[in-house]
Amino acid sequence: MYITQEYEKHIISDVYNEGYRYLKILSGQVSPLLIEQILDKYKELHIKIYVGMVSAEGISKWTHLAFQHLVRRYPSRLEIYYQASLPGNHSNIYYWENPLILGLDHKVFIGSASFTLNSFYHRKEIMIMEHSSADEVFSYLDVINCTSPNVSRQINILQKHENELIVPYNDKKLNPYNISNDKTTEYEVEYIDIPLTIRGGDTPPKSGINWGHNGRNGLRQSTRTGNEAYLSISKQVHKERPNFLPQRGEKILILTDDEKMFVCVVAQEHRKAIQTCDNNSILGAYIRERIDVPSGAYVETKDLIRYGRDSIRLSKIHEGLYVLNFDSQLTLNNCEEYLWNLEDRETNILYKDAEKQILIESIFIRVPQLNIDVYGGFLALWDENEADYFIDSDLIIIKDIDTDNVLYEEGGSPLVATIFNYCHSVDLETSMEVLQSLQCEIITKNLLSTNI
């Protein structure tokens, strides 16, 4: 029996409907999204996958991470192994065993179709079917489980995508961008930047990140959690990159820069939204956790400013697999720009005596790598004629993160210069350039009086 079209139907669907539930796949390359689609569609299917060309070609870190997430997503139905020894194995074998109905023979499909979106849906392949056992083929494979703690020691995990997993559209309108500054990463991927705000810089009151809300008046419906959200895709994106996203209703896998994974779907008319499949609150809950606002809360522009980012970068690794980057862009070099846009600050008394008082602001900058919090403040002196304190100069106050004790204070100097002087005072060698590059956070809290 020769198969030259409708590969999912002949290799998966028809056999599954006959009563087969256990499938072993040996394939040179494997698409993570195809695994998700097949397991989601065939609810009783159990698959063991052996990726044959990993030992020879390596595997991208993102494909590897997607495989690990999929195994955790389907813990009793999916196992994924990598060929560990050279040479790689370019065979494509689909072996159905242990049918539910007694008397049915094993089924084996062999041929050119790898377990990828390209082979199953976009290319001409040829497969043949036999009623025989393939136990011997699988018993001689030298493999390692993709979830093994030793996998990085035996497998070359790369900072590049697999060409076999890219669907070629031959569209001259596509304009790839390089998203990495690492010169060892010699490949380009497309990306788009998705704003979390609307025109004017405000967060949308009833859509996007605040889809579950009715403006600031509360939830849209009592059954909403407040975390409902979607990523809003503009018409311009589809005009400039028509093949960046699949069609409406199709799934994609999104990995995040902090190594989580979401199964999402392209939704709404004109493909203007991306939302999570299992529950449309998952993405919104994730974003709220990243920017440190309560679950279900209405997200305001000031929350994004405090976090240091008001957009998400979505990069396409290969067909069906994307990477979402929402890492804070705050550094000591740019954090003051964000600070001045925050208006909900208070000033409390840090220290007071008959001659002076020191005021400290409620909004501060946390620098984890130096274990310090950096506050703005003021020195106020007593005026006997006015019988009151007057502001004499600005201060920068540095506290220890763990103890909240004041470590250093200085007036009249820029932020980074003050931190540099503090480092010098405690014999910590650094430079202005290094300090400017340090990541930081903007935090607001109620202040308690602290003695200097």
Side-chain angles (χ1 to χ4, degrees):
M1 176 183 176
Y2 291 93
I3 301 166
T4 58
Q5 60 184 351
E6 298 183 295
Y7 305 105
E8 180 190 338
K9 176 183 183 300
H10 293 294
I11 298 174
I12 307 293
S13 180
D14 288 350
V15 186
Y16 180 86
N17 291 333
E18 289 176 13
Y20 292 81
R21 293 295 183 269
Y22 295 89
L23 173 62
K24 286 183 178 178
I25 299 174
L26 170 60
S27 179
Q29 299 280 358
V30 175
S31 294
L33 181 61
L34 185 55
I35 298 174
E36 164 62 31
Q37 290 175 342
I38 295 298
L39 285 175
D40 183 56
K41 187 173 182 179
Y42 304 97
K43 303 296 186 184
E44 298 177 4
L45 180 59
H46 298 255
I47 306 180
K48 290 183 180 179
I49 295 175
Y50 302 81
V51 190
M53 291 302 293
V54 172
S55 60
E57 300 176 352
I59 186 171
S60 83
K61 62 173 289 188
W62 299 115
T63 303
H64 170 59
L65 185 60
F67 285 155
Q68 292 181 316
H69 277 289
L70 286 167
V71 170
R72 287 192 287 270
R73 181 172 169 84
Y74 299 100
S76 63
R77 298 174 55 203
L78 176 64
E79 298 174 35
I80 299 177
Y81 300 90
Y82 301 148
Q83 172 78 16
S85 58
L86 291 170
N89 196 321
H90 208 277
S91 305
N92 297 301
I93 302 174
Y94 301 79
Y95 176 39
W96 289 92
E97 58 182 353
N98 303 323
L100 296 177
I101 302 173
L102 294 177
L104 290 179
D105 294 331
H106 299 297
K107 283 191 175 184
V108 182
F109 295 85
I110 303 172
S112 64
S114 60
F115 195 53
T116 63
L117 295 169
N118 265 332
S119 286
F120 265 52
Y121 307 117
H122 298 284
R123 285 204 294 237
K124 294 293 291 183
E125 309 283 0
I126 185 166
M127 301 291 290
I128 61 171
M129 190 271 287
E130 293 184 358
H131 289 286
S132 61
S133 172
D135 288 336
E136 186 175 359
V137 173
F138 288 90
S139 66
Y140 284 108
L141 296 176
D142 177 22
V143 297
I144 183 171
N145 195 303
C146 78
T147 61
S148 168
N150 298 319
V151 70
S152 61
R153 299 175 186 172
Q154 298 189 42
I155 300 300
N156 191 13
I157 299 175
L158 307 172
Q159 299 291 325
K160 67 176 185 178
H161 55 54
E162 299 88 346
N163 291 332
E164 175 66 21
L165 302 183
I166 299 173
V167 175
Y169 290 99
N170 297 320
D171 192 330
K172 295 181 181 179
K173 292 182 180 179
L174 297 183
N175 183 16
Y177 290 83
N178 191 342
I179 63 167
S180 174
N181 293 322
D182 183 357
K183 294 182 180 180
T184 64
T185 306
E186 296 180 351
Y187 76 99
E188 295 179 338
V189 299
E190 284 186 282
Y191 71 79
I192 59 174
D193 288 322
I194 305 170
L196 297 177
T197 58
I198 54 178
R199 189 174 299 175
D202 291 330
T203 53
K206 302 179 182 180
S207 60
I209 186 60
N210 289 317
W211 194 18
H213 289 262
N214 184 25
R216 292 178 176 80
N217 299 320
L219 299 181
R220 186 180 296 225
Q221 297 174 1
S222 60
T223 55
R224 299 276 180 118
T225 67
N227 287 322
E228 291 83 3
Y230 61 84
L231 301 180
S232 183
I233 310 300
S234 69
K235 291 182 180 179
Q236 190 66 21
V237 166
H238 296 306
K239 181 179 179 180
E240 295 178 357
R241 297 171 176 79
N243 297 317
F244 184 82
L245 290 171
Q247 296 305 305
R248 178 183 179 184
E250 293 190 25
K251 285 184 176 182
I252 59 175
L253 302 180
I254 294 182
L255 295 164
T256 66
D257 59 272
D258 56 349
E259 299 193 345
K260 294 179 171 57
M261 188 183 83
F262 304 117
V263 181
C264 296
V265 64
V266 178
Q268 300 188 25
E269 189 177 6
H270 305 303
R271 300 187 295 164
K272 69 178 183 180
I274 298 173
Q275 62 193 59
T276 42
C277 289
D278 300 330
N279 183 319
N280 59 21
S281 294
I282 295 174
L283 185 60
Y286 167 77
I287 293 174
R288 284 167 173 81
E289 182 180 4
R290 290 282 306 254
I291 65 177
D292 195 28
V293 302
S295 178
Y298 184 87
V299 176
E300 300 186 56
T301 304
K302 67 180 181 182
D303 299 317
L304 300 176
I305 293 173
R306 187 178 293 111
Y307 178 67
R309 187 161 186 167
D310 61 2
S311 67
I312 283 173
R313 174 159 293 184
L314 190 66
S315 303
K316 185 174 184 178
I317 303 303
H318 52 66
E319 202 64 22
L321 185 63
Y322 298 76
V323 173
L324 180 155
N325 188 295
F326 191 48
D327 193 18
S328 172
Q329 297 173 327
L330 279 180
T331 65
L332 285 178
N333 188 49
N334 65 16
C335 62
E336 288 185 284
E337 300 173 18
Y338 292 90
L339 275 175
W340 294 122
N341 289 319
L342 292 173
E343 298 177 353
D344 57 342
R345 64 184 69 207
E346 298 176 355
T347 303
N348 294 345
I349 297 174
L350 178 65
Y351 174 84
K352 180 179 180 181
D353 62 24
E355 297 181 352
K356 67 179 180 181
Q357 65 179 11
I358 294 177
L359 306 177
I360 189 168
E361 292 188 330
S362 58
I363 297 176
F364 63 92
I365 300 166
R366 173 158 291 175
V367 191
Q369 287 176 265
L370 298 178
N371 201 48
I372 58 173
D373 292 331
V374 185
Y375 294 79
F378 307 94
L379 172 63
L381 301 179
W382 179 257
D383 186 331
E384 292 186 0
N385 294 328
E386 299 291 335
D388 198 1
Y389 292 95
F390 68 94
I391 300 297
D392 178 72
S393 60
D394 295 342
L395 284 176
I396 293 179
I397 301 164
I398 297 177
K399 287 186 173 186
D400 183 273
I401 288 179
D402 299 323
T403 65
D404 203 40
N405 291 333
V406 174
L407 303 174
Y408 186 83
E409 53 101 352
E410 183 174 317
S413 297
L415 173 70
V416 179
T418 300
I419 296 175
F420 177 83
N421 292 337
Y422 158 72
C423 291
H424 180 73
S425 73
V426 295
D427 298 323
L428 178 62
E429 292 188 9
T430 185
S431 67
M432 294 289 285
E433 292 76 16
V434 169
L435 291 176
Q436 287 173 336
S437 68
L438 292 183
Q439 289 192 321
C440 58
E441 308 167 43
I442 295 177
I443 300 175
T444 302
K445 71 175 183 180
N446 293 325
L447 300 176
L448 299 175
S449 293
T450 307
N451 293 325
I452 295 180

